[in-house]
Amino acid sequence: MSEGAVEIKDLVKTYVDDRGRPTFTAVKNINLHIDNGEFMVLVGPSGCGKSTTLRMIAGLEKITAGSISIGGRVVNDMEPKDRGIAMVFQNYALYPHMTIYNNMAFGLQLAKKKKDFISDTVGRTAKALGLNQMLERKPQALSGGQRQRVALGRAIVRSPIVFLFDEPLSNLDAKMRVQMRSEISRLHGQLGSTMIYVTHDQVEAMTMGDRICVMRDGLIMQVADPLTLYRQPANLFVAGFIGSPPMNLLRGKIYRKDGGLAFTENSEKNALTVPLAGPIQDLANRYVDKEVVFGVRPEHLSEEVKNGSHVTLKSTVDIAEPMGSESLVYLKAGTGNLIARIAGEHLFHMGQEVAVQLNMDKIHLFDVETEEVVH
Amino acid sequence: MTTVQTPRKEESQTGTVRKRLTPTQKIAIRKVLAHAFLIGFIILVLVPFIMVISASFRKGNFAPSELIPDKISLEHWKFVLGIPYQEVVNPATGETRIVKAATPPLLWFWNSIKVSFIASAGIIFLSGSAAYGFARLYFKFRSATLGTLLILQMFPMVLALVAFYVILDFTGQYIPWLGLNTQPGLIMIYLGGISSYIWMIKGYFETIPPSMEESARIDGATQFQTFIRILLPISAPIFAVVFILAFIGYMSEYPVASVVLQSSDNWTLAVGANSFLYEQEKLWGRFSALAVLSGVPITVIFLLCQRFIVGGLVSGGVKE
Ligand SMILES: Nc1ncnc2c1ncn2[C@@H]1O[C@H](COP(=O)(O)OP(=O)(O)O)[C@@H](O)[C@H]1O
Ligand SMILES: [Mg+2]
C-alpha cells in the first residue's frame, strides 16, 4: 500500500512581497521520497527551509515550482483539508475560546460528521492521551504538555494519512520534551501513518526518525537512516551537524612521510601530525599535497587500544567534563584541539598528559572545495 | 553593585545629623503622596461633572456657580422628560404658564441612541472586515492604501462638511430616505470615519498568531468560517473597545449632525441640546439635564461591553 507515500519533486519556494516581487528563495529545488508509514525527520539549522517545506506539503504555502504528491495524487492545488494531512504546530495553535472537546471536534464538526461519531472519536482519543478529565476546560487551564497533547489529539481525530509536525516539542521543558518524544514515537507505532517531523534538534531527529533529511540553506544535504547519517556523513555539514559533541574537524594537508602518508594540520609551527594507517591510506593517496578536512568522532579517541589500526597521539588535557560513566575531554595535541569521549569513571585534570589512541578505521576525509566526503 | 551604602557611612561622609527615615516610613510617605495626587486628579475629573448635574437641578438658567444649588428644582428634568410644568412668568402679578417642549427631548435621546447604535455596529462590521483584509490578505497597494487611510484620518470630519452636504443632497435626489435631513444619511456619513478603527483592529489581529487560523484551515474551515468562528471570538475585546469608542463619539457628535439634520424631530441629542443655547439666552439648565441624560446609554453600553474587555482571552491557545 502506498497511500501515505509522499513524493517531492524539484520543489522550489520563492517568497514574494505584496507586489509579487521575489524576495527570498527558501527552498531550492529539493527531491525527496517518503515511504508509506515512514517517520521522516527534516532537520537543519534555523532558517534552512524546513518549515517552508512542511507548510508546502500541508498546503499552507503556495508552491513556486515542482510538485508534491501524497499517495500518488499531485496535491499542488489542493486545499489543505483535502490532502489527508493533519498538522501540529510549535505554538500548539489551539482555539483559546473553545473547550478542549470543541478544539478536538472542530474539524469533524466542519466535516458534518454525526454527533455520536464525533463524541465517540473525540472521547476515545482524549482517553488515549489522558485528556478525558479536561474536555470541558479551555486551553488556558492546561499545562504546556497537556496543550500539546490536545494539539496532537486534534490531529489524530482527523485520522490523516500523513501527520505533519513543525517543532512540536520546542516550547516544552526538557523533561516534558523527552516524555512527549516517546509518546509521539509510540503513536507512530500504533497508527502506522506516515509522519513528517520538523526539528532543529539533532537529538530529536536521531531518536525519532526512521530516516532523517538534513537540510541547509534550502537544499537537502543528505537523507539516510540515523546510523548511516552518523557513520557515513556525506559531507562536512552533516558531519558537523549530527553528533553531540560534534565530530572533530581539522583542516590540513596530506603529504608523504617516511614512506607512508601523514596528515598535518595547517599551522605555522608545532602542527598536529597524524601518520595515516589502515584503509584510509587509499583515499588519502588521491590527495597527496592537497588540502583536506580530517574528521574523527570524539568516541574514536580512546585511552586503550581496541581492535583495528590505531595511531597514538600525545596530548594534554585542556578541560575535562566528567559525566559519570564517561568523560568529555578537551585535548590539545600540537595546535590541534580535539574533543575525546573517554569511557570509564576517570577524572582528568588540566594539563595532564594523555596518550590517546586514534582509531584510524573511523576517520573521514572531506574535500575542501566540494565539502563532500572522500570515498 | 557590590558595595551597599549603609546610612551610617553616608552620615559620616556628609557630616550632618539628619534623622534617617526607615524604609517603612519612606514607603508610607510615598503612599501618602501618591494618594494625594490621585485624589486631586479625581477631583479635577469629578468637579465639572458635578457642576453639570447641579446645574440640571438648579432653578433658573444660570451658568453653574456653586456646586450645591440653594434651590432645588425639577423643572429642567420635567422639561427634558416631556412632563408639563407651571412656570411663573411675572412674579409681580403671579401670572403663570404651562411649559412643555415643542419637540419632546426624549425623541432626540432616542434618535441619538438609534443613530449611534446602528453606526457603531456598522463601524464594527466594516472596519472588522477591512482590518481582516489588511492584516491577513496580500494584494497590490496594500501598504499604500493603509498609509492613505492613516493620513486621511488625521483630517477632522468637520473639514468635509461641505462635501457631506453635497453628497447627501445628491443621494437624496435618487434615494430620498438617504438624503439630507435623514438619519440613514447621517449614519452613512458616520460610517465613513472608520480608518482609525481599521488601524486599531488590524493591530490587534496582527498580535494573533496566524497558526490558529491555519489550523482551522487544515481542519476544513473556509476563510469566512475561520474569520467568523476563530478570529472574531478571539478579537471580542478589541471590538468591544471600538464599539464603545464609536458609540461615545457618535452620542456627542455635533458639527456633522447639525448640518445634516435640519428638522427638529430628526435631531440627535447633541443638536437638540445645543438648540437651547441661544445667542441671547443660554438655557444651561435644560442643556445640562440633556447632557446628563446622554451619559446614561454610554454607561449602559460600557457596562455591557466591559465583560468582553478582559485580558488574556487569547492566552492559552498558543505559546509564544
Ligand atoms: N513569509 C516569508 N517571506 C519571506 N521570507 C520568509 C518568509 N517565511 C520564511 N522566510 C524565510 O525563509 C527561510 C526559511 O524559513 P523557514 O522554512 O521558516 O525556516 P526553518 O528551517 O527555520 O523552519 C528563512 O530564512 C526565512 O527568513
Ligand atoms: Mg521553522
Side-chain angles (χ1 to χ4, degrees):
Chain A
M1 223 172 58
S2 68
E3 63 160 359
V6 178
E7 185 77 48
I8 296 175
K9 279 214 191 91
D10 300 318
L11 188 66
V12 177
K13 173 68 192 185
T14 304
Y15 284 107
V16 293
D17 64 9
D18 281 1
R19 301 192 201 172
R21 291 177 304 195
T23 51
F24 186 75
T25 301
V27 175
K28 303 163 185 164
N29 201 325
I30 62 169
N31 287 283
L32 183 65
H33 175 83
I34 301 161
D35 276 329
N36 182 37
E38 191 173 21
F39 198 115
M40 171 64 83
V41 177
L42 306 184
V43 70
S46 147
C48 71
K50 312 174 294 279
S51 296
T52 306
T53 308
L54 196 76
R55 291 166 56 80
M56 281 192 282
I57 300 174
L60 296 173
E61 213 71 71
K62 256 181 117 136
I63 293 169
T64 308
S67 75
I68 296 175
S69 335
I70 298 175
R73 288 180 310 165
V74 175
V75 296
N76 283 26
D77 299 314
M78 214 180 258
E79 268 294 301
K81 68 169 164 45
D82 301 323
R83 297 187 179 203
I85 52 111
M87 186 156 167
V88 178
F89 293 84
Q90 174 174 358
N91 60 11
Y92 321 137
L94 301 180
Y95 314 126
H97 57 295
M98 297 187 193
T99 61
I100 302 307
Y101 179 87
N102 282 332
N103 261 281
M104 289 170 67
F106 189 61
L108 298 176
Q109 286 164 351
L110 288 173
K112 304 242 170 3
K113 294 274 197 273
K114 287 224 171 63
K115 266 222 162 82
D116 293 348
F117 173 79
I118 296 178
S119 63
D120 186 51
T121 315
V122 172
R124 225 168 346 102
T125 312
K127 195 155 184 213
L129 290 167
L131 293 168
N132 44 344
Q133 300 301 317
M134 311 166 186
L135 285 175
E136 293 314 312
R137 290 198 211 160
K138 296 255 176 90
Q140 207 177 352
L142 263 55
S143 73
Q146 289 168 334
R147 285 180 203 172
Q148 195 54 294
R149 233 176 266 154
V150 174
L152 207 56
R154 188 171 60 180
I156 295 170
V157 295
R158 303 195 64 229
S159 49
I161 325 174
V162 181
F163 279 86
L164 306 174
F165 297 91
D166 193 353
E167 312 220 10
L169 309 184
S170 310
N171 282 349
L172 302 177
D173 60 51
K175 200 172 156 207
M176 206 60 224
R177 202 149 49 207
V178 174
Q179 191 186 331
M180 286 296 288
R181 206 158 76 190
S182 54
E183 243 172 84
I184 293 176
S185 291
R186 195 175 317 124
L187 189 71
H188 178 241
Q190 284 167 0
L191 299 175
S193 326
T194 310
M195 295 193 171
I196 308 178
Y197 188 103
V198 162
T199 179
H200 64 266
D201 179 356
Q202 52 106 5
V203 176
E204 243 171 59
M206 294 291 280
T207 49
M208 300 178 81
D210 290 333
R211 281 196 303 154
I212 298 170
C213 167
V214 184
M215 294 183 67
R216 173 207 195 181
D217 292 344
L219 292 169
I220 292 181
M221 302 309 286
Q222 188 175 4
V223 185
D225 63 90
L227 271 190
T228 309
L229 213 58
Y230 191 76
R231 289 189 187 143
Q232 296 156 20
N235 46 55
L236 262 181
F237 179 76
V238 175
F241 189 77
I242 300 290
S244 167
M247 185 185 278
N248 294 295
L249 294 168
L250 305 168
R251 201 174 158 137
K253 250 187 187 153
I254 304 285
Y255 70 104
R256 293 188 189 285
K257 185 188 175 196
D258 310 332
L261 291 171
F263 166 85
T264 301
E265 208 194 356
N266 285 346
S267 169
E268 295 285 301
K269 54 179 185 186
N270 200 15
L272 166 69
T273 298
V274 184
L276 300 183
I280 196 78
Q281 284 170 299
D282 295 340
L283 301 177
N285 239 327
R286 291 188 265 148
Y287 281 83
V288 174
D289 293 327
K290 284 193 205 149
E291 275 203 69
V292 291
V293 175
F294 178 96
V296 60
R297 293 229 178 255
E299 58 269 34
H300 299 133
L301 293 165
S302 51
E303 272 198 311
E304 65 254 36
V305 181
K306 295 174 196 137
N307 47 9
S309 33
H310 281 80
V311 165
T312 309
L313 292 180
K314 283 211 183 86
S315 63
T316 51
V317 175
D318 196 10
I319 301 169
E321 295 174 350
M323 321 262 283
S325 66
E326 59 178 25
S327 299
L328 294 181
V329 189
Y330 295 73
L331 300 167
K332 268 190 127 30
T335 48
N337 292 315
L338 295 168
I339 306 174
R341 188 200 294 272
I342 295 179
E345 299 173 4
H346 299 303
L347 276 184
F348 295 87
H349 41 85
M350 219 171 116
Q352 181 183 349
E353 306 256 321
V354 182
V356 281
Q357 305 295 330
L358 204 161
N359 187 341
M360 293 309 284
D361 296 344
K362 306 285 188 181
I363 297 299
H364 307 268
L365 290 183
F366 299 92
D367 190 300
V368 171
E369 251 103 67
T370 64
E371 302 202 340
E372 299 288 313
V373 74
V374 179
H375 52 204
Chain B
M1 285 308 284
T2 47
T3 56
V4 178
Q5 253 186 356
T6 59
R8 186 188 294 163
K9 196 170 165 193
E10 204 173 304
E11 227 168 36
S12 65
Q13 272 171 356
T14 52
T16 54
V17 203
R18 210 157 13 118
K19 193 167 166 263
R20 292 267 130 205
L21 294 169
T22 66
T24 338
Q25 283 171 316
K26 276 187 193 163
I27 290 174
I29 290 180
R30 247 181 257 162
K31 267 188 184 163
V32 168
L33 287 178
H35 278 87
F37 174 77
L38 288 176
I39 289 168
F41 203 78
I42 289 172
I43 290 173
L44 211 61
V45 172
L46 283 185
V47 162
F49 182 65
I50 294 170
M51 280 167 87
V52 171
I53 292 183
S54 89
S56 75
F57 286 106
R58 181 181 294 117
K59 196 156 177 56
N61 277 297
F62 310 103
S65 43
E66 74 280 7
L67 271 184
I68 311 294
D70 39 7
K71 272 195 202 133
I72 300 239
S73 135
L74 290 178
E75 59 179 40
H76 305 306
W77 280 101
K78 279 185 177 156
F79 182 86
V80 159
L81 297 175
I83 305 165
Y85 66 93
Q86 280 201 333
E87 190 186 56
V88 181
V89 182
N90 190 339
T93 58
E95 183 189 345
T96 60
R97 63 166 179 179
I98 303 288
V99 182
K100 185 172 185 294
T103 313
L106 276 184
L107 180 65
W108 302 333
F109 180 68
W110 173 237
N111 285 346
S112 261
I113 292 179
K114 222 165 39 180
V115 167
S116 306
F117 194 88
I118 295 174
S120 304
I123 285 279
I124 292 276
F125 178 75
L126 289 179
S127 55
S129 41
Y132 178 76
F134 282 119
R136 290 291 196 257
L137 307 178
Y138 295 86
F139 49 88
K140 280 191 179 174
F141 307 120
R142 190 174 68 124
S143 45
T145 317
L146 270 172
T148 312
L149 283 179
L150 188 66
I151 293 174
L152 280 181
Q153 83 168 39
M154 291 176 184
F155 294 94
M157 251 192 166
V158 183
L159 293 186
L161 271 182
V162 181
F164 294 152
Y165 190 90
V166 174
I167 289 171
L168 287 183
D169 194 33
F170 177 80
T171 54
Q173 286 168 20
Y174 299 93
I175 316 167
W177 55 267
L178 203 61
L180 276 175
N181 196 21
T182 65
Q183 285 163 6
L186 179 65
I187 291 174
M188 183 173 82
I189 298 297
Y190 279 169
L191 288 182
I194 57 171
S195 46
S196 55
Y197 298 125
I198 292 180
W199 270 90
M200 268 174 81
I201 300 175
K202 170 183 166 283
Y204 191 88
F205 281 169
E206 280 168 352
T207 64
I208 299 174
S211 59
M212 222 128 57
E213 290 145 72
E214 289 170 349
S215 220
R217 199 174 151 203
I218 291 176
D219 268 343
T222 61
Q223 196 146 35
F224 185 69
Q225 283 172 323
T226 309
F227 179 59
I228 297 290
R229 297 195 52 182
I230 308 292
L231 205 56
L232 280 194
I234 294 173
S235 308
I238 192 68
F239 284 115
V241 169
V242 165
F243 193 90
I244 291 173
L245 287 180
F247 192 86
I248 294 177
Y250 294 141
M251 275 306 281
S252 51
E253 200 283 333
Y254 172 71
V256 177
S258 71
V259 167
V260 172
L261 305 175
Q262 288 139 359
S263 58
S264 64
D265 51 352
N266 268 336
W267 282 352
T268 58
L269 203 61
V271 182
N274 268 279
S275 73
F276 295 132
L277 304 182
Y278 307 104
E279 273 309 308
Q280 307 82 357
E281 188 187 16
K282 298 200 186 300
L283 304 176
W284 286 114
R286 292 172 187 179
F287 183 91
S288 304
L290 276 182
V292 174
L293 201 59
S294 76
V296 175
I298 293 178
T299 313
V300 170
I301 289 287
F302 186 81
L303 291 178
L304 285 179
C305 288
Q306 200 183 27
R307 65 193 185 97
F308 294 110
I309 318 178
V310 283
L313 205 63
V314 192
S315 70
V318 299
K319 177 157 180 179
E320 285 79 25

